[in-house]
Amino acid sequence: MDLVLASGSARRKQMVEALGLRTRVAPVDVKETRITGTVDAQVLHIAKEKAQAVGDAHPSCMVLVADTMLADPDDPTLALGQPIDAQAALAMLLRLRGRRHRVWSASGLRVAGTWTFDLDSAVVELSAFSDDVLGELINSESWHGKAGAYDLAGAMAPHANLVEGEEATVLGIPARVIEALSVL
């Protein structure tokens, strides 16, 4: 069975293709409106909105939607999503540098017309990297399209440590969903 990835994330595409699944990318466009509440509730809400936007499209395929957010290290109820520009990326990385934070990923998987949602979290600690490294991270634009302005498997890899949880969750799909897809 084919998998439709309703996400424009290159990292998510790479993750599902590594499982050997025939994948078609068909991103949905939803306004990622934040709701009042915890970060886990917000990220799950957005995943469900993406599922609703998919609607009945792709009836003969499995469909995967996902979203990822970070909890601010000072206020775990404040969500950090994708930065809109280099200045926002700089502010996020300055806030996260040398600190631990929780990363939340939510997904919805539709199989045979039924949606199943999953939510998982992991804890990442960024090193107290230098201002030169910070400049390189911003100039590389590795922050583009990444929750919290970094990619654990990209340019940030030498400066980040997974403290708790699974790497797949931080990269954008809850680990349990990757495990479930791997047996299909």
Side-chain angles (χ1 to χ4, degrees):
M1 183 178 285
D2 289 345
L3 174 70
V4 173
L5 178 61
S7 169
S9 165
R11 179 65 67 205
R12 287 188 184 109
K13 181 178 186 247
Q14 181 184 38
M15 292 170 74
V16 295
E17 285 180 341
L19 299 172
L21 296 171
R22 289 188 319 205
T23 305
R24 187 169 14 126
V25 176
V28 291
D29 186 27
V30 298
K31 184 175 182 185
E32 295 189 8
T33 306
R34 304 277 165 72
I35 61 169
T36 303
T38 59
V39 177
D40 58 331
Q42 291 180 58
V43 74
L44 185 58
H45 173 79
I46 291 171
K48 289 181 177 182
E49 288 207 342
K50 289 179 178 181
Q52 186 174 20
V54 168
D56 295 328
H58 321 289
S60 62
C61 300
M62 292 185 299
V63 179
L64 177 65
V65 297
D67 197 61
T68 302
M69 290 182 171
L70 280 66
D72 183 287
D74 291 321
D75 181 355
T77 65
L78 180 63
L80 301 178
Q82 296 178 16
I84 58 171
D85 57 23
Q87 186 175 5
L90 176 63
M92 285 183 188
L93 291 177
L94 284 170
R95 190 164 198 80
L96 297 171
R97 178 169 63 175
R99 305 183 68 196
R100 287 184 180 189
H101 58 278
R102 185 163 296 278
V103 179
W104 291 94
S105 282
S107 70
L109 181 64
R110 187 182 76 195
V111 178
T114 302
W115 284 99
T116 303
F117 292 90
D118 199 288
L119 176 69
D120 201 6
S121 72
V123 175
V124 175
E125 183 173 36
L126 300 186
S127 69
F129 47 82
S130 69
D131 287 346
D132 288 341
V133 168
L134 179 62
E136 291 169 12
L137 291 167
I138 296 300
N139 291 332
S140 73
E141 295 192 8
S142 61
W143 53 267
H144 186 72
K146 305 296 181 193
Y150 74 87
D151 181 359
L152 184 68
M156 185 60 79
H159 313 288
N161 182 37
L162 183 63
V163 176
E164 171 189 309
E166 301 293 329
E167 181 180 43
T169 298
V170 179
L171 296 178
I173 302 174
R176 290 181 296 267
V177 176
I178 292 294
E179 290 169 18
L181 288 170
S182 69
V183 298
L184 296 175

